[in-house]
Amino acid sequence: MPHRNLALFDLDNTLLPFDSDHAWGEFCVRLGWVDGEQHCEANDRFYAEYRAGTLDLEAYLRFSLAPLVGRSPAELEGAHAEFMREIVLPQLRPAALDLVRRHQAQGDLCAIVTATNDFVTGPIARAFGVQHLIAVRTERDALGRYTGGWVGVPSFREGKVQRTTEWLRQQSLQWGDIDQSWFYSDSINDRPLLEHVSHPVAVHPDPLLSELATQRGWPVLSLFP
């Protein structure tokens, strides 16, 4: 099998100049789906823990997926379309789009690898023109409604390496089949996958990742102010 190149992109605060999961939580407050004060307080607390590298992912997933439970697919689709129009699309940055398109033009196999769930990130990946999305897989019941649970290993920390390995296998590939690989990320939580690729790139790195990038001599990239 011929070797090929692989380009992996974190999403929040990397390709996007904000965190889509945190922003969706704020949007749920606007929709009146959750208690505003309590939800905002918890949403901010979980986000701070994520930035500090101390997030309890299971606790956060139970919190972040709860607003989806009991809502019809049509209601959720309409709300997310509004979220895309009002929040996401106005903040897409040309430099981030150009980075993705440059790798695609080179024929690299591209995927977004994110710890945010697939409900929030699926339409965002499509907006970037990226076919492959590795995200937290939300669980649905027989009627297609969200249960508030998730399926399999979440794509978080070491889970990003495991899920990417599983995805490569689905493409009939192994890491050994990859000639050069890139991963772009802002977060210290992504250290396992950054250390797994041949070309780790820190994008607007948080303080802990900035320190690690300096120690390792990793390039640091800026895609937006």
Side-chain angles (χ1 to χ4, degrees):
M1 178 180 296
H3 285 238
R4 63 185 306 173
N5 294 338
L6 175 67
L8 306 172
F9 308 90
D10 180 45
L11 182 63
D12 300 316
N13 296 308
T14 300
L15 291 182
L16 291 176
F18 65 98
D19 185 284
S20 61
D21 219 358
H22 183 263
W24 171 254
E26 294 180 328
F27 197 72
C28 288
V29 173
R30 285 178 49 188
L31 293 170
W33 288 3
V34 293
D35 180 278
E37 184 176 351
Q38 291 183 2
H39 197 84
C40 284
E41 180 182 351
N43 198 33
D44 290 346
R45 183 182 73 252
F46 280 123
Y47 183 54
E49 292 170 355
Y50 172 81
R51 296 286 289 176
T54 61
L55 179 66
D56 178 341
L57 182 67
E58 292 194 2
Y60 175 65
L61 288 176
R62 287 192 293 270
F63 164 79
S64 64
L65 295 175
L68 306 182
V69 177
R71 303 190 186 280
S72 70
E75 182 182 14
L76 290 169
E77 182 179 350
H80 199 293
E82 185 179 353
F83 176 67
M84 290 294 293
R85 286 193 303 270
E86 295 187 12
I87 308 298
V88 178
L89 295 180
Q91 297 192 71
L92 295 187
R93 296 294 186 262
L97 291 164
D98 289 346
L99 174 65
V100 172
R101 289 167 181 162
R102 186 163 65 249
H103 277 285
Q104 291 173 328
Q106 293 171 176
D108 301 340
L109 180 61
C110 295
I112 289 174
V113 189
T114 176
T116 299
N117 67 76
D118 53 11
F119 168 77
V120 169
T121 58
I124 301 174
R126 290 192 289 274
F128 275 98
V130 177
Q131 176 185 357
H132 300 287
L133 172 66
I134 301 169
V136 172
R137 292 173 291 200
T138 44
E139 181 183 63
R140 305 191 198 190
D141 64 18
L143 298 177
R145 294 180 180 245
Y146 292 93
T147 68
W150 58 94
V151 179
V153 175
S155 42
F156 181 60
R157 296 181 182 153
E158 293 82 0
K160 282 197 174 184
V161 179
Q162 181 174 340
R163 290 285 308 284
T164 302
T165 301
E166 294 171 357
W167 167 73
L168 284 172
R169 193 176 303 122
Q170 294 168 1
Q171 314 306 312
S172 300
L173 291 168
Q174 302 177 32
W175 283 102
D177 299 318
I178 303 301
D179 187 9
Q180 298 186 79
S181 54
W182 288 261
F183 181 42
Y184 298 87
S185 175
D186 73 296
S187 175
I188 191 63
N189 292 292
D190 287 337
R191 179 173 182 170
L193 187 52
L194 284 163
E195 292 180 333
H196 204 79
V197 300
S198 60
H199 298 288
V201 182
V203 182
H204 304 283
D206 62 32
L208 291 173
L209 181 56
S210 180
E211 181 180 354
L212 180 64
T214 299
Q215 293 172 354
R216 299 291 185 85
W218 294 347
V220 176
L221 182 64
S222 176
L223 295 177
F224 33 81

